[in-house]
Amino acid sequence: MAERISFSATINGQKIGPMDLPQDLMMVELLQEYLNLTGTRLSCGQGVCSACTIIIDDPDKGSYTVPACVTGVTWVNGRTVRTIEGIAGRDDQGNPVPSPIQMAFLEHFAFQCSYCTPGFVNGATALIERLQRQPIPSDQVEAAVLEALDRHICRCTGYVRYYEAVRDVILSTPGLTTDGPGTDVTAMQEAGQ
Ligand code: FES
Ligand code: FES
């Protein structure tokens, strides 16, 4: 019989636990079977396809992604997590408002069956948040998108519309590139950049 742990975490802004859990439980099982957060998809179950991607919010490193199918609750214990259910914003009435990435995927018709979509949304969201911390030149955006989403497998669409949607969000959002919208060109020239 598996050893058990006392598990606590913050998931989508809500304190969870303490819960008594098997210590070999994977995050995808916790989310789906204990917390009824079924948006995180299980596909390969081996850390290969990224369908189950969730976001860890680290106060020191910033946000980054992990595959929930091979990430144990023991490792997540005490951490802060976002799943696909925590990505949309809320309007004044509390209704969900799609994030810019979610909106771009809709506008670009980026998905078909959508099984891979929560993983793509979380992967792209973590990329956007990394660029908020560390903007890059716009001529490096294409490569950054490919690198960030390279491990996400989609069996339907051929990827192009996902990549185009993420690229468009990055290039049109102030602060994500060093030479894009909102860049203070004069300040950069004065700084010799
Ligand atoms: S289901 Fe987790 S990486 Fe494929
Ligand atoms: S849209 Fe069907 S697997 Fe990606």
Side-chain angles (χ1 to χ4, degrees):
M1 199 167 125
E3 299 282 319
R4 303 188 71 85
I5 62 163
S6 174
F7 175 86
S8 301
T10 301
I11 300 182
N12 299 331
Q14 293 204 319
K15 299 272 184 211
I16 304 291
M19 298 172 73
D20 177 50
L21 297 176
Q23 77 171 13
D24 59 357
L25 195 74
M26 292 297 139
M27 273 305 287
V28 70
E29 298 171 289
L30 171 71
L31 295 169
Q32 295 198 359
E33 293 171 23
Y34 291 72
L35 302 178
N36 200 30
L37 293 170
T38 55
T40 299
R41 303 281 165 74
L42 178 64
S43 185
C44 71
Q46 299 178 346
V48 172
C49 73
S50 299
C52 64
T53 296
I54 56 174
I55 299 174
I56 304 294
D57 286 309
D58 187 306
D60 299 322
K61 289 194 229 163
S63 55
Y64 59 93
T65 60
V66 294
C69 68
V70 291
T71 301
V73 292
T74 303
W75 184 82
V76 174
N77 203 2
R79 296 181 194 262
T80 300
V81 178
R82 263 178 295 159
T83 68
I84 188 64
E85 289 88 349
I87 296 298
R90 298 274 159 188
D91 68 13
D92 294 344
Q93 277 77 49
N95 301 310
V97 177
S99 74
I101 284 291
Q102 289 173 313
M103 209 59 224
F105 284 175
L106 288 169
E107 287 168 347
H108 283 257
F109 299 97
F111 53 86
Q112 290 180 24
C113 81
S114 82
Y115 201 83
C116 64
T117 308
F120 269 95
V121 168
N122 285 343
T125 299
L127 171 62
I128 299 283
E129 290 170 355
R130 175 162 63 83
L131 296 179
Q132 286 169 344
R133 300 189 297 272
Q134 299 168 316
I136 57 175
S138 52
D139 63 2
Q140 294 178 18
V141 166
E142 201 86 40
V145 172
L146 284 175
E147 194 256 329
L149 300 180
D150 188 44
R151 290 174 62 86
H152 289 257
I153 292 175
C154 173
R155 291 160 180 83
C156 299
T157 67
Y159 306 96
V160 173
R161 291 178 179 184
Y162 271 133
Y163 295 164
E164 286 176 350
V166 178
R167 184 199 60 202
D168 286 1
V169 170
I170 294 170
L171 292 177
S172 62
T173 304
L176 302 186
T177 55
T178 51
D179 53 353
T183 305
D184 186 340
V185 177
T186 309
M188 287 180 67
Q189 284 169 344
E190 286 172 2
Q193 297 175 30

